[in-house]
Amino acid sequence: MDRASESQEIWVFSTLVVGFALSFLIAVVPHFDGAYRLEPLMLAAWMIPYIILSVIVWFLRGPARLRTILGVVWIQLLTVLIQRAILGDPDGLSLFLMPLVTALGLLLLVPQLCGRMEEGPLGPICGRLLKRS
């Protein structure tokens, strides 16, 4: 196995580990009697973007890889902060919808993340934005 392939496998593995750890922390919800309960549906919902991201990370190179991973992590952390700290609802609907929206966004942006700005479903939009700037 060559060195580049090992590096890619490390990135994929670390993305899955970080995604599972953060998803697990979010899926453990405080219960009214002082105990905690695991929400398996929330765990599964938050793992979907990280599974898609781990496939995309294999094809990314350079700083785009780290930026994409950090972008998904920030989306997850901001959603949880807004839902639990600001709105005060530990089981809110946005905690289930946001990972699905994030996964859909990752799937739509695959060509742009890989550097092919004018390909894919968002290619015409990205092409127009790049020609103006």
Side-chain angles (χ1 to χ4, degrees):
M1 188 183 311
D2 62 339
R3 193 165 176 84
S5 178
E6 287 178 5
S7 172
Q8 295 300 96
E9 289 173 0
I10 289 171
W11 277 100
V12 169
F13 179 74
S14 62
T15 302
L16 285 173
V17 167
V18 166
F20 184 74
L22 288 174
S23 300
F24 183 78
L25 288 175
I26 289 171
V28 175
V29 179
H31 205 324
F32 64 89
D33 63 356
Y36 290 90
R37 69 176 190 266
L38 178 66
E39 295 281 339
L41 189 61
M42 193 179 303
L43 178 67
W46 277 107
M47 277 304 296
I48 291 171
Y50 288 101
I51 291 170
I52 293 170
L53 183 63
S54 66
V55 173
I56 293 171
V57 162
W58 180 267
F59 298 104
L60 292 178
R61 301 284 186 262
R65 178 175 30 209
L66 185 60
R67 288 181 193 148
T68 306
I69 294 169
L70 290 178
V72 173
V73 169
W74 278 112
I75 288 171
Q76 183 178 15
L77 294 177
L78 286 175
T79 302
V80 172
L81 177 72
I82 290 170
Q83 186 66 38
R84 292 198 177 152
I86 297 173
L87 299 177
D89 186 12
D91 297 341
L93 185 63
S94 70
L95 286 177
F96 292 100
L97 290 179
M98 198 60 189
L100 301 177
V101 170
T102 304
L104 181 66
L106 282 171
L107 288 175
L108 289 175
L109 287 172
V110 167
Q112 285 74 29
L113 290 172
C114 292
R116 298 180 189 99
M117 292 300 173
E118 296 185 3
E119 294 180 13
L122 298 178
I125 297 169
C126 291
R128 280 188 233 138
L129 289 175
L130 290 175
K131 287 179 184 175
R132 288 182 185 170
S133 5

